[in-house]
Amino acid sequence: MIDKVLVVESLSISFKTESGLVKVVDGINFQLKKGEIIGLVGESGSGKSVSSLALMRLLPPNAIVAGEVLFNDINLLALPENEMQAFRGNRIGMIFQEPMTSLNPVIKCGKQITESIILHQKVDENTAKERTIQLFEEVKLPEPAYTFNKFPHELSGGQKQRVMIAMALACNPDVLIADEPTTALDVTVQKSILELLLKLKAERNMSLIFISHDLAVIGEIADQILVMRNGKIVEQGNIAQVFLNPQHPYTKGLLACRPAPNLQLSRLPTISDFVSAGLTVAELNDKYQLKPETIAIKRAQLYKQQPLLKVEELNTWFLKKGSLFSAKKEYTKAVNGVSFEVYPGETFGLVGESGCGKTTLSRTILKLIEPTSGKIVFDNEDISVLDAKQMRPLRKDIQIIFQDPYSSLNPVKTIGYALMEPLIVHNVLKSSKERKAYILELLEKVGLTAVHYNRYPHELSGGQRQRIVIARALALKPKLIICDEAVSALDVSVQAQVLNLLKDLQAEFNLTYIFISHDMAVVKHIADRMMVMNQGEIEEIGYPEELYNHPKKAYTQALINAIPKGILAKVES
């Protein structure tokens, strides 16, 4: 037990509900050594996050926890709450998935950390402030003293996550639990956070439990891996064992369903291919591998057509704060001199980090933001000169799928209502009966059933909600759909299903997509051509395999280098 800082034995978790007890974790066991990183991986609902909350004694009152959590031989589950407070946040720190909901929006970032230091280390405010600024330096936040006085909303996503890491490290914990700390971040920011955690772990000789749904990310950081499914650990071992010789079909599925940049597949393998069908990775890759001649024929057909969308020297500039009454106006050039074409039936990939201008570009094309100058020609009509009233009939031809389906669905309206509304607005079909029949058909097209018609958004999983938003975009039979980070927040297994669905629907309805993502691997898989954006401008445009294998710009190369490669990264190094 000398080198084992944390021992979890027969941990089971159930919740009291109106319909009885629901077991979510079923007798899991693992040991964490000093200085070791354990990767805990599984889909949403597998029990990984609830297990980590149990270690910290942060579960709600309706939770029933059994088993033992031994921290240096002390059973944390048996401690009174007042004694547990000496361990929580002090000896065991935690980084949560979404920093914006974990940080208090009305308290400055520095103050939130000094409070923790004063509470646990019994020091004065000046000492706590000095310690906080040192922590901000340690986690590589720019201008630490200046950041100390900033509110959370004034920081980028990656900077907020660094504040959360600083908060978790404030009391120099022995164990750090990181719960999906990089899921919503750009791949480049994700890479920097992983490197930072590895550096801090080495310097402090900490132990780390790193939780993720993405095995490739786990492979970049972990020594040992635990794979969870339905509340149980289905496979565990060191990183090389699990990656190079996975035993459980579920593990094989998790490894295979993330797009592999070195392959060109017609569709992605899914968990069911392994768990239900029992196929091997080699069989699936052979089945779905695109032949060069197939790609060449498709490209010849696509690019002999007239473009559906032509963007010419498009500028979308915003007046900088404090510049309104200044003699010299200063602008943020969110989109700056951008020109490209999209062809009917094409998937045009748009990739770049947060703040590169890709979302502003998409909203300008939709005329949700007015362009400063330039032309947007859609279906041979210059829509950049149209006003809101003139645009309304065209709205049904250009639809958008947003990143967060929950925020784009009305929480108090049923799914049926959400799908019915655009049909009513655009006067599609004659009666409610016809519209409902059409909606039920749509639900089936996106892999759902009539059962979902009367459900509310909160009653569906993330993947199901994304399918609803796709169905709503399809409802008006558009010519162009803009997918704005449409799979970024999904588990890799659900992401694979949604990407396959988008491809199937495109083939059936001859849809044209602009597919926006910060993830180069995802865009490379789905796109016919791709455009890389940086600071409002185009870096380069080309076929996915050309940009991936022979990037011309350093920025494109940086995006490629940031793609998680899992065990391959460790083997190569």
Side-chain angles (χ1 to χ4, degrees):
M1 285 286 293
I2 297 170
D3 63 337
K4 297 182 182 70
V5 65
L6 192 72
V7 177
V8 175
E9 293 185 349
S10 303
L11 180 66
S12 295
I13 305 165
S14 300
F15 288 98
K16 297 175 192 170
T17 68
E18 291 179 0
S19 54
L21 279 180
V22 176
K23 182 170 275 191
V24 294
V25 175
D26 189 6
I28 66 170
N29 300 278
F30 65 90
Q31 299 176 348
L32 179 66
K33 295 176 183 175
K34 187 72 177 170
E36 182 181 50
I37 300 178
I38 283 182
L40 188 55
V41 69
E43 297 170 282
S44 295
S46 63
K48 58 190 189 301
S49 290
V50 78
S51 298
S52 69
L53 291 172
L55 305 185
M56 296 285 286
R57 294 267 301 273
L58 289 174
L59 291 174
N62 67 326
I64 299 173
V65 183
E68 290 186 329
V69 175
L70 301 173
F71 177 80
N72 293 332
D73 290 340
I74 298 167
N75 185 7
L76 299 182
L77 299 184
L79 290 178
E81 176 58 26
N82 62 331
E83 291 182 32
M84 182 62 199
Q85 287 175 9
F87 292 89
R88 187 191 299 123
N90 188 21
R91 305 291 301 280
I92 308 175
M94 189 162 188
I95 307 165
F96 295 96
Q97 177 175 353
E98 180 41 71
M100 199 61 208
T101 57
S102 306
L103 293 169
N104 191 321
V106 297
I107 298 177
K108 291 176 180 177
C109 294
K111 180 72 172 173
Q112 298 190 49
I113 295 174
T114 58
E115 285 177 348
S116 175
I117 294 172
I118 291 167
L119 173 68
H120 288 293
Q121 299 192 358
K122 313 299 181 193
V123 297
D124 61 54
E125 197 161 329
N126 286 335
T127 305
K129 182 176 179 178
E130 286 175 16
R131 174 78 182 118
T132 300
I133 292 172
Q134 285 173 2
L135 282 165
F136 282 179
E137 287 175 0
E138 199 173 352
V139 299
K140 296 188 168 23
L141 274 164
E143 301 178 276
Y146 183 56
T147 304
F148 184 93
N149 290 310
K150 281 190 170 184
F151 290 97
H153 72 271
E154 297 179 287
L155 304 182
S156 70
Q159 288 171 341
K160 283 195 284 277
Q161 197 59 282
R162 287 170 190 265
V163 171
M164 285 296 299
I165 293 170
M167 187 181 290
L169 295 174
C171 298
N172 201 24
D174 299 297
V175 175
L176 183 62
I177 301 171
D179 187 6
E180 300 272 13
T182 63
T183 298
L185 301 178
D186 289 346
V187 284
T188 48
V189 180
Q190 172 180 269
K191 185 179 182 183
S192 70
I193 294 292
L194 293 176
E195 288 172 349
L196 173 64
L197 287 172
L198 284 169
K199 175 178 174 288
L200 294 170
K201 191 272 298 186
E203 288 173 353
R204 291 162 172 258
N205 196 27
M206 280 189 310
S207 303
L208 187 63
I209 298 175
F210 190 95
I211 300 168
S212 179
H213 61 257
D214 191 338
L215 258 172
V217 172
I218 291 283
E220 299 252 313
I221 195 170
D223 303 306
Q224 301 285 327
I225 296 178
L226 308 178
V227 182
M228 283 192 76
R229 188 183 190 214
N230 299 331
K232 295 182 178 182
I233 294 173
V234 295
E235 185 159 1
Q236 61 183 301
N238 68 46
I239 186 171
Q241 286 173 337
V242 174
F243 269 79
L244 300 178
N245 190 26
Q247 298 300 303
H248 198 279
Y250 180 70
T251 311
K252 293 175 184 176
L254 284 178
L255 281 166
C257 62
R258 197 182 201 284
N262 59 323
L263 296 173
Q264 285 188 283
L265 304 178
S266 60
R267 62 193 298 109
L268 290 170
T270 62
I271 298 290
S272 61
D273 288 325
F274 295 90
V275 175
S276 303
L279 298 171
T280 66
V281 174
E283 286 171 339
L284 287 163
N285 287 346
D286 186 56
K287 180 180 178 182
Y288 297 140
Q289 180 70 49
L290 281 167
K291 293 180 172 60
E293 55 267 33
T294 306
I295 297 170
I297 290 167
K298 183 183 181 185
R299 286 174 181 169
Q301 291 171 338
L302 279 177
Y303 304 122
K304 71 180 181 184
Q305 307 172 94
Q306 287 297 310
L308 176 66
L309 177 74
K310 287 180 74 174
V311 174
E312 300 176 6
E313 287 298 317
L314 190 66
N315 294 301
T316 306
W317 298 358
F318 301 104
L319 200 62
K320 285 187 177 178
K321 191 177 179 182
S323 190
L324 181 61
F325 300 107
S326 171
K328 186 182 178 183
K329 300 286 189 286
E330 292 187 13
Y331 294 91
T332 299
K333 298 179 179 181
V335 176
N336 192 29
V338 169
S339 300
F340 64 93
E341 298 173 340
V342 181
Y343 293 81
E346 180 182 27
T347 298
F348 186 80
L350 181 50
V351 68
E353 298 172 284
S354 294
C356 73
K358 56 189 189 294
T359 294
T360 302
L361 174 60
S362 70
R363 288 169 190 247
T364 306
I365 292 168
L366 286 159
K367 292 295 295 291
L368 298 175
I369 298 173
E370 283 297 319
T372 306
S373 63
K375 287 177 73 174
I376 306 164
V377 180
F378 175 73
D379 208 13
N380 295 317
E381 182 176 3
D382 184 0
I383 65 172
S384 54
V385 298
L386 302 183
D387 61 26
K389 187 177 179 181
Q390 291 169 320
M391 270 299 296
R392 187 169 179 177
L394 284 170
R395 293 267 175 231
K396 64 182 180 63
D397 292 328
I398 312 175
Q399 292 289 300
I400 187 165
I401 302 166
F402 293 103
Q403 176 175 355
D404 182 4
Y406 195 72
S407 63
S408 55
L409 292 169
N410 190 326
V412 298
K413 300 292 185 182
T414 63
I415 298 307
Y417 178 89
L419 297 177
M420 185 80 74
E421 190 176 30
L423 302 180
I424 296 169
V425 168
H426 289 278
N427 201 26
V428 175
L429 301 175
K430 295 175 183 176
S431 67
S432 295
K433 186 178 179 182
E434 285 180 305
R435 287 171 184 149
K436 182 172 181 180
Y438 176 59
I439 288 166
L440 294 177
E441 188 182 326
L442 266 180
L443 287 172
E444 199 172 307
K445 293 281 185 198
V446 299
L448 298 172
T449 67
V451 172
H452 298 99
Y453 184 88
N454 290 313
R455 290 192 179 165
Y456 291 88
H458 73 270
E459 296 178 293
L460 305 179
S461 69
Q464 287 172 330
R465 283 196 290 265
Q466 198 61 285
R467 288 169 188 268
I468 295 299
V469 175
I470 291 169
R472 188 171 62 184
L474 277 177
L476 297 171
K477 298 181 178 176
K479 294 176 181 176
L480 174 67
I481 296 178
I482 298 174
C483 306
D484 188 5
E485 300 278 11
V487 298
S488 299
L490 302 176
D491 287 350
V492 286
S493 52
V494 179
Q495 175 181 276
Q497 294 168 23
V498 172
L499 289 171
N500 289 342
L501 172 65
L502 288 171
K503 282 199 167 193
D504 291 342
L505 293 170
Q506 182 176 47
E508 185 173 350
F509 298 105
N510 193 34
L511 296 169
T512 304
Y513 295 136
I514 295 177
F515 190 92
I516 300 169
S517 178
H518 61 257
D519 191 332
M520 190 90 169
V522 170
V523 176
K524 182 184 178 297
H525 164 72
I526 198 168
D528 297 296
R529 283 184 305 143
M530 59 196 289
M531 179 169 87
V532 181
M533 277 190 80
N534 182 25
Q535 296 181 347
E537 298 182 357
I538 298 171
E539 288 280 334
E540 50 187 315
I541 299 177
Y543 294 131
E545 71 278 9
E546 288 176 357
L547 262 63
Y548 181 77
N549 294 319
H550 308 288
K552 294 174 184 172
K553 299 292 184 74
Y555 180 77
T556 309
Q557 185 65 60
L559 289 177
I560 294 165
N561 291 342
I563 297 170
K565 298 175 180 67
I567 186 64
L568 295 177
K570 299 204 171 196
V571 170
E572 287 166 6
S573 63

